Amino acid sequence: MPQEKRTGSGVLGSLMGFIGLSVAAGILVTAAVTPALAVTGMSTKGAINAFDGLPAFLDIDPPMERTNIYATASDGSHQLLATFYDQNRQQVGWDEVSQYFKDAAVSAEDPRFYDHGGVDLIGTTRALLSNFVKSSGTQGGSSITQQYVKNVLVQNAAQITNKEESDAAYEDAIRQTPERKLREMRYSIGVEQKYTKDQILLGYLNIANFGGVSYGVEAASQYYFGVSAKDVNIQQAATLIAIVNNPNGLRIDRPDSEKNGAANGYAATKERRDYVINKMLKEGKITKEQHDEAIASPIEPNLKPPSTGCQAAGNAAYFCNYVQNTILNSPEFGATLDDRRATLRRGGMDVYTSLDLDIQNAAQAAMDRWVPQEKPNVELGAAASTVQPGTGRVLAMVQNKTFSEDQQVGEASRSHTSINYNTDYNYGGSNGFQVGSQYKVFVLLDWLKSGKSLNDTVDASRQSYTRWTDSCEPGGKMTTAPWNPQNYDGSGSGRITPYEATRRSVNTAFVNMASKLDLCDIRKTAESLGVHRADGGELSKLPSAVLGANEIAPLTMASAFAGIAAQGKFCTPVAIDKIVGPGGKDMAVPKSSCDQAVTPEVANTAAYAMQAVFGPGGTAANAVVPGAPQFGKTGTADDAYDTWITGGTTKAVTSFWIGNVQGMPGTGRKSSMYNVQANGTSAFQAKFRAFAGITTATIGKFGGDAFPKPDASLTKTQQSPVPDVSGQSVADATAALTAAGFNVQVGDPVLSSVAAGMVAGTDPAAGTNVTSGNTITIRPSDGTGKSVPDLSNMTGDQAKSALQGIGFTSVDQKCVADPTAPPGDGKVTAQIPAANTMVNPANTPASITVTKQSC
């Protein structure tokens, strides 16, 4: 039966203190290889000096190991999405490797492994004599320790990111020279001093190449036989150890090979395998019965090819691609791009992501239900990203295409692409898409930040604008060519509140709001919520930006709106929760940066208005689903080439875009989403249906709380006194009243002493406190009015003269006798018209009453 434990106390291991004394070891090795060195011109003394001058110890860094990317399943378990590797390797421990592997390696490669001190002098001398003296071809002879050292040197060379340096180090590690062999021996002695025999053997089994990109016994066992390294049988272990002898020539994943394929039973590999089995019997590791059974068995591969790259991630491929680019862009994984690429493909990381497979699968199902992968005559694209408010964690990321990095596939099929429409260009994405009216939310936020109310009124009539405030520009002003934006239906809306403008998405109202704000502040408000162009450029400074002219990625919009849902706390999107590196140690990961972008009062008030978008008459009423309050904003770019909806609940926010990826090849033509048919409806309507499907899933899993109440000071109904515009022209008076926040209408002319055509007064009158947005009626003057003077205490003659002086041609006079009256001509005690009455004397009768002692 095979022995379970071997010791390292053999004769050669103790001879002259071979392991412990490097000088003595140098003399022994030199003596053993002197015939070979003699023909190279190296003296014994020179060899000893060269040997003693070599480093005694070899730094053994972790070998290349594949990186695994995981998502979270319904039960909380981690599901593998994809792997990345240059060498497919999974490091395993001593107990995770079958004893058959250990026995096969030692029996076939180095039977005296547990007895020598790192260098098998007999085998080494035989190999050197053959290789360098007899010139009879390359012969083995290296101990397992020496082979391990060589593999480590090759591995170290492969991990150098500079290609020229890597190639040089590789050549230095493998070239057949006495100097290289001496260095290998010295390193082997040092390794034996530092590590136990079992550690060395395990290191060798974990690092060795088993053909192609299969490295280490675990990856090799899974690839060739579909089992773990701890579960292989004798013949499987012997087959894999046989492959190590000639990894390229003896690999058994080429069934069509004429020399070593299925047709001849993998003859070359079987010959070497049987040699290994025979050696296992000779060394007493297996019984004769086990030997005979193993020898009689055919080689039967059960290939389980490992996947690499994001194409293996199924519907999560675009999210996987985002994670991949996050690693390649983040300094936590290396100082240079080459370093970060090496970390991804060689670093042995287990990357646990934020992806929620329940939401991911539901989102992809909604996308597939409503949006086709391709349509004739239009380059149709669609993408959706879902983000968790308050953390920035990306919960889902889907697209209407199949991920493929094969350029030929992408060119042949418009249903395949490697471009991630959800992300920025630097993260594998496109240059973004015009966001349309969604951008109005940032105008609304800035409106509230400036202290204005949702219930203020703004002029939503169509008008031209040329001058703007922009504190980022020299002088703080911007002048543009006349801009006369209109609403989608061409209508004007008079004066409406920002609340109503948000619900109905009224362009003219938001442009008017922006004209009263600072364009620079609006941009900064957007930027505080992470908004940026997908191509990396600056946000447009033109006034048209307030209606969504910037090209932005869906992930960016979802993250910005999630900041509003989180009461103004914006968190940068993050896709990686945790990374466990080699040895089970946690590694540094890119963290979400969270900041209070706007105050809770401003965010909550904006969210209050954005809930109306999902209410009756709101532009997203078709997307509302039961189960939780929802908020958001729709957006449609010019000519409906792109159309969006972004929103959700307090627990999850989704941004959904559908539109033209680019113009049709050869024409550059784009299509309106109103005119493109998706799956049973227009592409314009499809966004509501797909978005609703995603929101249904997020509410089903996470629910959704009531949004906080709006701030009272930002929703109050403001009142202002009516300005006194009497005596002004109608045009000037209209401008003054409009600037004060009132609607204006012009009534019929009224009797007034003011010059004809000028303003006699208003209704309500000047100084009256009136709610902003109410209508003030201007009353022009007819120019014929006279104000009747106060005639009291005048004599009759004086009164008549005064009335005739303002235009009265006839004045009736009455006398009233009163003995108690003062003596004299008497005084006026009554008058018609009354004092201070506005009249037209030409058609108004006049009379006075004079009281005196006697009539």
Side-chain angles (χ1 to χ4, degrees), residues 72 155 185 220 228 239 324 339 402 464 479 516 524 530 554 566-567 573 598 602 678 682 733 762 772 790 807 823 851:
T72 303
Q155 186 75 194
M185 294 176 187
S228 293
T239 299
Q324 175 185 356
D339 292 338
T402 298
S464 290
T479 301
K516 301 178 187 304
K524 289 181 178 179
Q567 302 192 56
V598 294
V602 166
S682 69
T762 59
S772 298
D790 184 356
T851 301

Side-chain angles (χ1 to χ4, degrees), residues 115-193:
D115 298 319
H116 63 63
V119 179
D120 184 353
L121 294 181
I122 297 173
T124 298
T125 302
R126 183 174 61 249
L128 285 170
L129 288 171
S130 174
N131 296 342
F132 301 113
V133 178
K134 298 180 180 179
S135 299
S136 57
T138 302
Q139 181 174 321
S142 297
S143 68
I144 284 179
T145 308
Q146 288 174 269
Q147 293 181 57
Y148 179 44
V149 165
K150 182 177 180 180
N151 274 286
V152 168
L153 293 172
V154 169
Q155 186 75 194
N156 291 347
Q159 296 197 65
I160 299 173
T161 55
N162 181 284
K163 187 177 185 305
E164 291 184 359
E165 294 177 7
S166 176
D167 290 345
Y170 176 76
E171 288 299 321
D172 187 54
I174 67 169
R175 68 176 183 267
Q176 293 292 331
T177 64
E179 292 86 357
R180 198 273 299 172
K181 200 67 179 178
L182 281 175
R183 180 181 62 188
E184 182 183 283
M185 294 176 187
R186 183 59 180 262
Y187 277 143
S188 297
I189 294 169
V191 167
E192 291 272 352
Q193 292 174 329

